[in-house]
Amino acid sequence: NKFVFASIIAAQICKIPIISTVHGTPDIYKKPIERIIYQHFSDKSIGLSVTVSRHLDAILKTQSPQACIIPNLINLEKYKAQTINEIDAWLIVSRLSPEKFPSILRFLKSASSCGIKHIHLAGGGNQNTIHKIETLIKSLNLKIEIKCLGEVEDIASLIPKYRGIAGLGRVALEGLASRKPVCILTPDGNLIGLVTTDNFRYLKDYNFMGKTLNPIDETEFKRQLESHTSTDSEDIYQLLSSTLSTENWPKFIEKYNRVEFVPNAALEAFYHKLDYFANAMSAPFFNDPLFIHLLKETVIEYNLGDINHLLDFYNNSYGLQKKYPSPIKMKSRMSLKQRFLNIF
C-alpha cells in the first residue's frame, strides 16, 4: 500500500492521469488512516475509479470525476463445451484454505442430499489445511465419493470435462463459458443455487459472488438440478457472450481513453512537506505522529473539511492506526463446530 501512495504522488508530480481498480472489500478496509489516505485524500487525484462489483461501488465513496463498474471478462475461445466422455461428477474449484471451507462443505452436503454421487475438488493448499478439510468431510458422513485433485494449472481444459461446476467469481464464469450448469456458493457457506437466465444479470453485477441473494434449501436445489437442460446452458452462454466476453473490451477501453490528469494541489504540497521532514520521521511513515500532523495541517490549509472531519472522527472513535478486524482470521479462531454450525 505504501508503494501505491508513492506511485500516486509520482503521477501527480509528473502530471500523469491515474486509474485505480478496487477488487475487494479488503482493499477498502485496512486501517482508518489508510482509508483516509487512499479513498479520500489521494482519491482526489484519480481520473477513473474502477470496481468489479456493484457492492464495492456502493461501499467506495470515490472522489474521482469518473467512476464505473468494469466486470471481469472472459476469453470464450479458451473454453469448449464437451459432452462426449463427460466425467459423471461435479467439480468444485476452490483454494483449500479455512475461509473456503464453509462453501465447500455446504455444497458437499447439499449435493449428497440431491443425489449427486461423485464430486471432485480442484484446489491447492498446504498439508495442514488439506488434513483439516478431509477431517471435516469425514465428520459429515456423506454417502458420496469425493476425490481431491490438488492444484490444477490448466483449469480451462479441466472444467469442460465435468457434468457441473460449483464455485463463485471467476470459477462461475469458466463454468458458464463451458456451457455447464453452475452452482453459486457464497464465501460464508450459503447455497445460492444454479445460475439461470433469470438471475444471470444480477449475479453478473455482483461478480458472481451471490451477494444480497437469498440462499436456497436442498429441496429447491434438487428441483433446479432436475429441471436444468442443455438448452438452459446454451441460453446462459449467449448472455455471457453478449456481456462478459473479452470481445466487449472496446466499449470499456473507451472509458480508459477518456481519462485526464486531475490536479491535486493539496497532495503535492503534502509531498513536499514529507520530502523536507523525511529524515526526521521513522518508517513506516503512516505510523509516525509527524506524518499525521502534516496531513491534518495540509487538509486544514486547503479547506478539505470532509477529510479533516474524518481524521477527527476516526481518532476519537476507532483509532487512526488500528487495523480493521479480519472476518477470515476471526473465523479461524473459532472451533470447527462453531465455524460450520450451519452445516451440522
Side-chain angles (χ1 to χ4, degrees):
N1 278 334
K2 312 304 183 294
F3 292 110
V4 173
F5 184 49
S7 298
I8 292 173
I9 289 176
Q12 181 66 212
I13 299 300
C14 296
K15 295 180 170 45
I16 298 173
I18 305 171
I19 299 170
S20 72
T21 303
V22 177
H23 292 278
T25 307
D27 292 339
I28 300 173
Y29 285 103
K30 296 183 182 295
K31 291 181 179 180
I33 184 59
E34 294 185 20
R35 182 160 163 75
I36 288 174
I37 288 293
Y38 297 123
Q39 272 91 55
H40 297 278
F41 190 49
S42 300
D43 201 47
K44 295 181 184 296
S45 301
I46 305 297
L48 172 64
S49 179
V50 177
T51 57
V52 297
S53 171
R54 190 172 295 279
H55 89 279
L56 294 172
D57 188 52
I59 295 173
L60 182 66
K61 187 179 183 299
T62 181
Q63 311 293 316
S64 171
Q66 286 193 72
C68 65
I69 299 172
I70 297 183
N72 287 318
L73 303 182
I74 187 166
N75 181 2
L76 297 179
E77 294 299 318
K78 290 178 60 178
Y79 300 86
K80 303 298 181 183
Q82 178 178 327
T83 54
I84 300 174
N85 298 324
E86 186 179 68
I87 299 173
D88 184 21
W90 274 65
L91 178 68
I92 303 175
V93 182
S94 174
R95 185 174 68 254
L96 298 184
S97 53
E99 71 271 17
K100 302 291 185 179
F101 289 176
S103 59
I104 294 172
L105 296 174
R106 177 58 176 157
F107 182 75
L108 292 176
K109 184 174 180 292
S110 300
S112 179
S113 300
C114 294
I116 296 175
K117 301 297 183 184
H118 309 282
I119 293 181
H120 293 177
L121 177 58
N126 59 45
Q127 289 299 317
N128 185 42
T129 56
I130 292 173
H131 175 71
K132 282 183 178 179
I133 189 66
E134 288 176 344
T135 300
L136 287 166
I137 290 172
K138 287 179 181 178
S139 71
L140 293 178
N141 296 316
L142 302 176
K143 296 180 180 179
I144 192 170
E145 179 194 38
I146 302 167
K147 181 179 179 181
C148 292
L149 305 178
E151 188 171 359
V152 178
E153 291 187 6
D154 188 10
I155 200 70
S157 64
L158 184 68
I159 284 178
K161 299 177 181 178
Y162 284 84
R163 177 158 293 183
I165 306 299
L168 48 79
R170 186 73 187 180
V171 173
L173 284 178
E174 293 172 325
L176 297 175
S178 303
R179 294 176 171 86
K180 300 294 179 179
V182 171
C183 179
I184 300 295
L185 310 168
T186 65
D188 55 358
N190 284 322
L191 182 73
I192 300 302
L194 296 187
V195 179
T196 67
T197 53
D198 291 330
N199 64 20
F200 174 86
R201 293 189 182 279
Y202 192 91
L203 286 166
K204 171 184 73 67
D205 288 345
Y206 287 87
N207 200 27
F208 293 92
M209 300 295 287
K211 288 184 179 294
T212 73
L213 286 178
N214 292 326
I216 63 172
D217 58 22
E218 288 155 10
T219 300
E220 172 61 17
F221 185 43
K222 185 176 182 179
R223 186 199 66 77
Q224 289 183 352
L225 291 172
E226 291 173 346
S227 63
H228 190 89
T229 66
S230 58
T231 301
D232 294 324
S233 292
E234 181 60 34
D235 290 342
I236 297 169
Y237 177 85
Q238 294 304 322
L239 287 174
L240 183 74
S241 177
S242 65
T243 57
L244 297 178
S245 165
T246 49
E247 295 296 320
N248 290 290
W249 256 123
K251 70 178 183 182
F252 294 118
I253 289 296
E254 279 304 308
K255 296 180 182 294
Y256 290 86
N257 290 337
R258 292 197 299 267
V259 176
E260 297 181 350
F261 170 73
V262 180
N264 186 342
L267 180 62
E268 187 169 345
F270 186 51
Y271 160 71
H272 290 301
K273 294 177 182 182
L274 293 179
D275 181 49
Y276 178 76
F277 283 109
N279 292 333
M281 289 190 288
S282 57
F285 284 179
F286 278 28
N287 297 338
D288 194 295
L290 181 56
F291 179 93
I292 305 299
H293 169 80
L294 294 174
L295 175 62
K296 190 168 178 64
E297 175 186 80
T298 304
V299 300
I300 291 173
E301 290 174 342
Y302 282 83
N303 297 316
L304 303 178
D306 56 335
I307 299 176
N308 190 36
H309 178 68
L310 282 172
L311 281 166
D312 290 338
F313 167 72
Y314 285 129
N315 192 47
N316 296 327
S317 57
Y318 190 78
L320 281 170
Q321 301 291 352
K322 186 179 178 181
K323 289 183 178 180
Y324 286 107
S326 168
I328 294 171
K329 290 182 179 179
M330 291 178 70
K331 281 184 179 181
S332 68
R333 290 196 293 265
M334 298 168 62
S335 70
L336 294 179
K337 189 168 184 178
Q338 285 177 317
R339 202 183 312 163
F340 308 116
L341 191 61
N342 63 321
I343 295 175
F344 293 109

